[in-house]
Structures are given as C-alpha cells and as structure tokens.
Amino acid sequence: MVFLKAPLRKKAKLLKMNKIPRNTLLSFIFLLLLPTFAWAQIEIEGKIEGNPVGEKVYLSSYFGERLSLVDSATLNPEGDFIMNLPKHQHNGLYRMDLGEGRFFDFIINDEKKIRLTTDYNAPIEMLQVQKSRENKAFYHFIKEENRIESAIALLFPLLSEYPLDDPFFPEIARRYESLQIEKDSIINKLSKDNPGTFAAKLIQMRKSPYLEAWLPRREKLNKLKNEFFYGLTFSDTSLLYSNAYTSKAIEYMSFYSNPDFNFEEIQVAFIGAVDKIMAKAGEDPKVYNQVLNYLVGGFEQYHFDEVLAHIATNWPEDGTCKNEDESTLAKRLENYKKLANGMPAPGFEFTDEAGQKHTLSDIKSKKTALVFWASWCPHCRQIMPELKKLYGDFDRDELEIISISIDTSRAEWQQAIKTIDAGWLNSCDEKGWDGKAATLYNIYATPSLFLLDEDKNIISKPMTVSELRTKLEE
C-alpha cells in the first residue's frame, strides 16, 4: 500500500471523481514538475573571442589547490558555449580552462545564471562579467588589487634606496602608504556591499598588514611574519572550495625564503613558517587537514625531508577526515618520523641483477648510499656518470652504493644498468613506487638519495651527488 500525505490524498480523490483521462493526468503532473527541473539548473554562458574554432573549454572545481573536472563544452564558430550544472553543485571557486595554459577563475554561489565573456589571448585581463553580481564584485576587486600591488611593487625598492632625509622620500612614502589604505578601503567597501557572499569571503582573505614606509626592509619583513594572519579567519569551511587557505599559506612561506641560505638553512627557516601556518590552520580541523596536505605535497616535491620530519612529529593529521587521501597522508607522515637524520634506516631485503639476495645489514662499509632512481628518469641518467666517478674515488670499505630502481620493466632496467656499468649493487623488484624499499623510504620522486653510517643510521639526504661527496668527505 502506498501512503500519501493528507493533501495529496484529497487531490487524488478529486481526480478520481472527475475521471480525468490517464494521458491528461500524466501531462498535468509533468507540467507541475517542469518548473522544478528548470530551477534545478545553474546555467553558465560564455563567449571566448579569438579561440580556435571547435575547441573545448573545461570547467573544474577547486578544493585547495586541487582541481577536479566538472564539465566541458565545445565552442561554436562564434566562440559561444553553454554549460548546465545541477543545482546541488557546491558553491565555491571554479576554473575555466581554455587550453594552452589559458584560464580564468570565477565564483558559483546560488546564482542561477552566469554570463562571462573574454579573449582567448588574455582571459583574465579581458574578462567581462555580463551577468553575476558576485563575479562583478570579485573581478572588480582583482583588477583593483592588481593595479595597487603593481604600484606597491615598484615603490618598495625605492623606499630601501632613498635615505629618510632625502626630499623625494616623503613623496614615495605618502604614495606607498596611501595605496595600502586604498586597498583596505576597497576590501571593506566590497565586503559591506556584498554581505555574506562567497566573493566577500575571498576578498576579505586578501587583507594584509599595514607597513609604514619608513620601516627598514628587514623590519617590514618581520612585521609581515608576525602580523600576516591578523584579522583573517581560518574557520570558514566554505572556503575549502577555493584556494584561499592554500594561497595564504604559500604567500606566508615566501617571507622565509632567502637566496643566501643553503639547503639546511632554508629548511630551518621553513620549519618556523610551518609552525605559524599550522597554528593558524588549527582554527578548524578540516582547514587544518587541507593545509597540511598541501604543505606536505609541496615539501615532498622539493625534497625538504627535515621539514617533513618536523611536520610528522609536531603537526600530525587531525583525524577527523578518514578518506583515502588522509589515510595515505597519515602513513607518509609516520614514515617521515622514522626517516629523520639520526634515525635507524629501515632494513630491507633486495635481490641484485645476478639474482643474489642481500639485506641492508649485510653491507659492512663505513658509509652506504641508497640511490632510488628509474631508467626513464632523465635527471637520474644525468647524475649516473658523476655518481660512478664518486664511487671510484672511495674504497669499498669506505663506501658502498645500492641503487634501487622503481622501474616496472625488468628489460628496461637491465638495459639501463648495462649502459651505466658502474659496479655497485643494483636492485629492482618491478613494483614501481609500490616496491618494498620505495615504500619504506617514502619515495615520491627520483632521484632520491640517502647516506647511512656504519651502523645504518641516516646521516644525510643529499639532493645532489655534489652534496653526497661533501658529506662523505666531512
């Protein structure tokens, strides 16, 4: 038996009494439902001037720096396209990719129709918002911010070069400070005029500390480090569907970069930045996990292993999200604790090219270098001659090298080691990134090097063969 709510039962009874024909009844129901389906669409119209005829445009949604494809459309000969998205599509920042590295970002937030036009050769600079209040506010701010920041960037070095008592300095100073005030005023006005909108939230995240013109460069930098997050909120989970939090994190990291630092010094500096960023991200567990994922991925890309070990020890995963990405991250972070300098190197068994089995503990040299590489990795092949020369400069009781390939093709690996002809121990389990040793050592890029002492403790993770040689000669 089908149970209906009282008003529906009453309507059904009336229909039966009036003996409405079946086809008429179905048509009546369809007409009643049609507006619901129509309202359940978000329509995006666009026109791309100068775009190659018949090309596609691709719409992706943001989650931090991660982009996920949502829809695509083929441009007609005039460069027009239409996309219809379901109403349940989450609000947030989206990217329209035109191909060849050309794109523009825009907001979807409870507006049923959005119309945008731009030029293929300058999609951001030429973008015009024809329909969408939020995107009009958003792009008004972007253009104003670009204008102001460009002017500030030109004035900043002048402030460092002109002495405070120079007659020209007050003019530079007034303009520099007035630009900052102007930007802050624009942020406040747009936020006030568009309360509660996604655009207002994104614009608010573009606030920055006020820097007095007379402050020396070093003091300006220190003020940015100390006050960068003042007035910013990291607890709004709707902003997870944008790059707002990750952009602020990478902007803050830039304050700690110094071209005069060596690799160890820059890692120490970045550890200080990480602590400030993660403390701020802790305002919300989901924001915390997004920022954590982003930072770990970035530091992995550049082999900042000491920073990763610090994160693993001091900023563990929050644990509120248990999807596959977070589970994998938790395992990686746990491994970084074990891979810090001074920690025992994870032991493993391997088989060399002759089929002979070895364990890491079998190696009796004073130093052991582990080299993770692949035959298809151009940089790996480039360093092999330098590595071969280094190997020949040390006796076997001083240095042994174990090269572990992440190749999945045995034939390609064998051909590569035959070409290199180095004489050290070579191994490949043909499991790629999922091999036993690769997993134990958190290998995510090639080449990756580890230097172990006589007791098989990790003493260094050099980035280059030159750094490896320096460590060996210490």
Side-chain angles (χ1 to χ4, degrees):
M1 181 181 292
V2 178
F3 293 91
L4 302 175
K5 291 182 180 179
L8 293 180
R9 286 202 302 268
K10 186 175 181 181
K11 285 184 179 180
K13 185 177 180 181
L14 287 170
L15 289 170
K16 185 176 180 181
M17 288 173 62
N18 292 314
K19 297 182 179 180
I20 296 176
R22 180 179 176 85
N23 61 342
T24 305
L25 176 60
L26 290 174
S27 299
F28 178 68
I29 293 172
F30 177 76
L31 288 171
L32 286 175
L33 293 177
L34 185 60
T36 304
F37 288 119
W39 283 103
Q41 296 286 326
I42 300 169
E43 186 177 87
I44 302 169
E45 291 185 3
K47 185 178 185 68
I48 314 297
E49 298 282 359
N51 199 73
V53 175
E55 289 294 314
K56 279 193 170 184
V57 291
Y58 299 89
L59 179 69
S60 298
S61 62
Y62 272 96
F63 187 81
E65 297 297 322
R66 187 174 68 195
L67 289 165
S68 301
L69 185 64
V70 173
D71 201 359
S72 65
T74 302
L75 300 178
N76 68 15
E78 288 73 39
D80 297 311
F81 70 89
I82 296 178
M83 293 180 182
N84 288 299
L85 305 183
K87 179 63 178 175
H88 64 260
Q89 190 71 38
H90 64 72
N91 295 329
L93 190 65
Y94 286 73
R95 170 163 292 185
M96 191 68 74
D97 190 341
L98 313 183
E100 301 293 331
R102 297 173 170 88
F103 63 85
F104 60 86
D105 295 338
F106 67 103
I107 295 166
I108 294 177
N109 184 30
D110 298 329
E111 291 180 308
K112 297 176 178 62
K113 187 167 184 176
I114 297 170
R115 178 163 178 77
L116 311 160
T117 65
T118 191
D119 188 275
Y120 176 74
N121 295 303
I124 298 174
E125 297 83 356
M126 299 297 291
L127 189 132
Q128 296 292 323
V129 181
Q130 295 184 332
K131 188 173 182 61
S132 170
R133 178 183 174 186
E134 283 217 40
N135 283 292
K136 283 180 180 178
F138 181 56
Y139 267 91
H140 173 69
F141 172 74
I142 287 175
K143 290 175 180 178
E144 289 296 290
E145 184 188 43
N146 287 342
R147 173 183 62 81
I148 291 169
E149 292 297 338
S150 295
I152 287 175
L154 292 171
L155 292 173
F156 188 83
L158 290 176
L159 292 170
S160 302
E161 294 173 13
Y162 273 86
L164 293 175
D165 57 355
D166 189 284
F168 188 51
F169 183 86
E171 292 185 39
I172 304 171
R174 278 193 295 271
R175 182 59 179 154
Y176 177 79
E177 292 179 349
S178 69
L179 285 166
Q180 295 180 79
I181 294 169
E182 183 183 3
K183 178 182 173 181
D184 194 57
S185 176
I186 291 170
I187 290 173
N188 291 335
K189 185 176 189 309
L190 286 172
S191 300
K192 183 179 179 181
D193 292 345
N194 300 273
T197 63
F198 201 85
K201 294 177 181 181
L202 288 176
I203 292 167
Q204 281 285 327
M205 288 294 288
R206 296 304 303 156
K207 284 185 174 180
S208 53
Y210 177 81
L211 301 175
E212 294 83 352
W214 55 267
L215 284 176
R217 182 189 292 261
R218 183 177 295 276
E219 290 188 33
K220 284 187 176 76
L221 186 60
N222 286 336
K223 187 170 184 180
L224 284 170
K225 289 179 180 179
N226 294 328
E227 299 180 12
F228 184 71
F229 294 118
Y230 285 7
L232 300 180
T233 300
F234 271 53
S235 59
D236 187 339
T237 56
S238 70
L239 286 176
L240 291 169
Y241 295 100
S242 74
N243 59 358
Y245 296 128
T246 50
S247 291
K248 296 307 283 189
I250 197 63
E251 187 178 355
Y252 187 75
M253 291 291 304
S254 69
F255 304 147
Y256 289 76
S257 182
N258 189 323
D260 296 327
F261 284 172
N262 61 31
F263 190 65
E264 286 76 15
E265 289 171 334
I266 196 66
Q267 290 208 79
V268 171
F270 281 168
I271 285 170
V274 164
D275 287 343
K276 294 286 185 66
I277 293 168
M278 293 311 303
K280 182 65 179 178
E283 290 180 9
D284 180 87
K286 291 182 179 179
V287 174
Y288 178 98
N289 283 340
Q290 184 183 83
V291 174
L292 180 66
N293 268 277
Y294 173 65
L295 291 178
V296 168
F299 288 128
E300 283 180 337
Q301 183 178 355
Y302 293 101
H303 288 262
F304 288 133
D305 291 338
E306 296 310 307
V307 184
L308 290 163
H310 176 82
I311 291 174
T313 302
N314 297 278
W315 302 102
E317 183 191 16
D318 177 81
T320 56
C321 302
K322 285 300 178 186
N323 61 37
E324 186 176 351
D325 285 348
E326 274 84 28
S327 177
T328 302
L329 176 64
K331 291 176 184 176
R332 280 154 52 201
L333 289 175
E334 187 59 34
N335 274 357
Y336 284 124
K337 290 182 187 179
K338 301 173 184 177
L339 295 170
N341 286 346
M343 296 294 287
F348 59 94
E349 184 180 82
F350 63 96
T351 304
D352 65 23
E353 66 267 36
Q356 185 176 350
K357 291 187 180 295
H358 306 267
T359 63
L360 183 60
S361 59
D362 291 338
I363 310 302
K364 303 304 180 186
S365 57
K366 291 180 180 177
K367 301 284 175 62
T368 303
L370 304 180
V371 180
F372 291 88
W373 72 295
S375 66
W376 42 259
C377 164
H379 189 50
C380 299
R381 301 295 287 268
Q382 288 171 8
I383 71 167
M384 286 304 174
E386 190 180 355
L387 192 63
K388 185 176 179 179
K389 184 179 185 309
L390 179 143
Y391 189 59
D393 291 342
F394 289 85
D395 295 331
R396 296 293 70 79
D397 64 336
E398 293 179 300
L399 173 68
E400 185 55 84
I401 293 178
I402 305 171
S403 73
I404 303 160
S405 172
I406 61 163
D407 280 278
T408 55
S409 167
R410 188 168 188 82
E412 291 177 6
W413 167 66
Q414 288 178 325
Q415 180 59 42
I417 60 174
K418 182 179 178 181
T419 302
I420 295 165
D421 188 28
W424 55 64
L425 292 167
N426 294 286
S427 179
C428 177
D429 61 11
E430 302 172 58
K431 294 181 180 178
W433 303 102
D434 298 322
K436 177 69 173 176
T439 302
L440 285 171
Y441 284 82
N442 261 14
I443 302 304
Y444 48 84
T446 56
S448 290
L449 285 67
F450 291 79
L451 182 61
L452 317 180
D453 65 14
E454 191 170 7
D455 298 320
K456 303 300 178 289
N457 295 317
I458 299 170
I459 54 177
S460 179
K461 294 179 277 276
M463 290 286 290
T464 64
V465 176
S466 177
E467 287 182 28
L468 176 60
R469 182 181 288 278
T470 301
K471 289 295 181 181
L472 288 166
E473 293 174 348
E474 286 181 351

